[in-house]
Amino acid sequence: MTYRALNFTKRNLKEMSRDSLSYIFCVAFPIVMLVIMSIVNSSIPKESGMTIFRIDNLAGGIAVFGQTFVMLFAALNVTKDRSGSFLVRLFASPMKSGDFTAGYILPMLIVAFVQVVISFAAAKVTALVTGTELEIAGLAFAAFAVLPSALMFTSIGFIFGTLFNEKSAPGLCSIIISLGSFLGGIWFDVDRTGGAMEKICRCTPFYYATKVARAAIHLDLGKETFLFPMLIVLGTAAVMTFLACFVFGKRMRADLS
Amino acid sequence: MENVIVTNGLTKCYKEKTAVDNLSIAIPEGKLVALLGVNGAGKTTTIRMLSCLSKPTRGTAEVYGHDVIKEPDAVKRLVGISTQDTAVAENLTVRENLEFMAGIYLEKDRIAAAVETAIDAFSLREYEKKPAKTLSGGWKRKLSIAMAIIGEPKVLFLDEPTLGLDVLARRELWREIEGLKDRMSIILTTHYMEEAEALADRIFVMINGRVAAEGTLDELEEMTGKKGLEEVFVDIAERGTR
């Protein structure tokens, strides 16, 4: 990583830390959902056998759900810079396309990590209150295991922010947020649903992202539950990051033509 | 005297419109050159091409012998630009904006000193801890120019630097620009005749993407038989558009 990329990363981190939207999107909202769903869980009779909202399952889902908002925030950051002349000014500097891409993506990964740590801390408190078992070792492992999906969502947000304007990019991100949380099985148990719905969910990387997060919290490193889903998430993250670099480089060249 | 910028048949076309048409100019080192022209005359497009923000359709342009198409990296290290819309990071403080820009151009150990120099040169000390978004238009423009020169460019492009500023802010900015003249070559675009008159060593009048006249104010007055830059400009512009 070049010093220029690091310099741009610092600038983006500072910009984000001074924007109240980052706290609402990236911290407050996932915690609010965690609390609400825990309340919902307390109303579900044990006989139903529904454990999707039990804190040890919910925490993983919330981690992935929070990342979808990091995606939205990544898109907003890029579109905001593109709408003014600041980015154009930087295009006239010796910064390269890779410096921009790294400088936009890296701060979002840091935000995603902080977000997941805060969400998991809130989950641990909830577990203590509700008397549910939730191991700190599992949470610590999961905080790192969800980083590939954070990269995947950040790259998707970066691509939307690069290709679309301030009005359309958030709209497209909202579609991914809805699809991601629904098809990812954050709010329902995909494996118990079966049929076409399960097949559709299994075709999306969101399903595997949620699966990785849940398995990691349970320290379950099984082939089907963790390793295979992790490979899919890693592959998708790599493809999305490559696409993000390609799209930004192309856009930069087009803007400078 | 060495020419810092040399263009030869420089042309930029956008679909039907030719924004800059066969521009061949040479800008000498250490001078402040003003590009004058009405809206759409091609001033900003010229600056964009010279600062590698836009690719010429035809022709060549060199900055200190470096071709803007073949050697953009070398050119980008030599030029600073303050765009028409102030390009600052709104949530960063004045000091952080300067540190950020210095970090792009300078080695780590030179950043702190460069920031202090810029803060003093543009009287930004009082505002150094304030976020850029809270500054008035005049101070934002000052910050934008300070950011453009912090990388110690050899050529500075100022695209309508005083646009929208009140008369006092404009005069103050003129003083700052005047102070930069001995450190770098400056190419300034402006609509304000008095600005070009006060600052420029040499004036290029652009009409429809072409240079219709060039020279010092005295030379242009002699050429047109008119007195004062405004009269000179109107005369050239009317002849050029006829």
Side-chain angles (χ1 to χ4, degrees), chain B residues 91-104:
Chain B
N91 283 330
L92 262 55
T93 65
V94 166
R95 174 176 281 278
E96 286 168 343
N97 264 291
L98 292 168
E99 283 170 347
F100 167 64
M101 204 49 94
I104 295 175

Side-chain angles (χ1 to χ4, degrees), chain B residues 203-206 210-215 220 223 236:
Chain B
I203 297 160
F204 288 76
V205 180
M206 291 186 75
R210 289 169 172 266
V211 170
E214 120 177 50
L220 292 175
M223 188 195 301
I236 296 168

Side-chain angles (χ1 to χ4, degrees), chain A residues 97 158-160 162-163 241-253:
Chain A
S97 156
F158 183 72
I159 292 168
F160 284 157
T162 304
L163 292 177
T241 310
F242 173 78
L243 262 180
C245 297
F246 175 75
V247 165
F248 189 84
K250 205 166 173 199
R251 185 86 208 194
M252 189 176 164
R253 282 192 294 278

Side-chain angles (χ1 to χ4, degrees), chain A residues 7-17 81 103-104 107:
Chain A
N7 189 37
F8 193 51
T9 300
K10 265 167 65 181
R11 174 261 167 179
N12 288 333
L13 263 180
K14 281 180 190 166
E15 286 263 1
M16 279 188 284
S17 67
D81 275 354
Y104 275 120

Side-chain angles (χ1 to χ4, degrees), chain A residues 70-91:
Chain A
V70 172
M71 167 188 68
L72 171 64
F73 206 57
L76 286 173
N77 274 337
V78 183
T79 53
K80 201 168 83 183
D81 275 354
R82 280 184 50 229
S83 67
S85 51
F86 187 67
L87 204 56
V88 172
R89 165 67 189 92
L90 294 183
F91 284 170

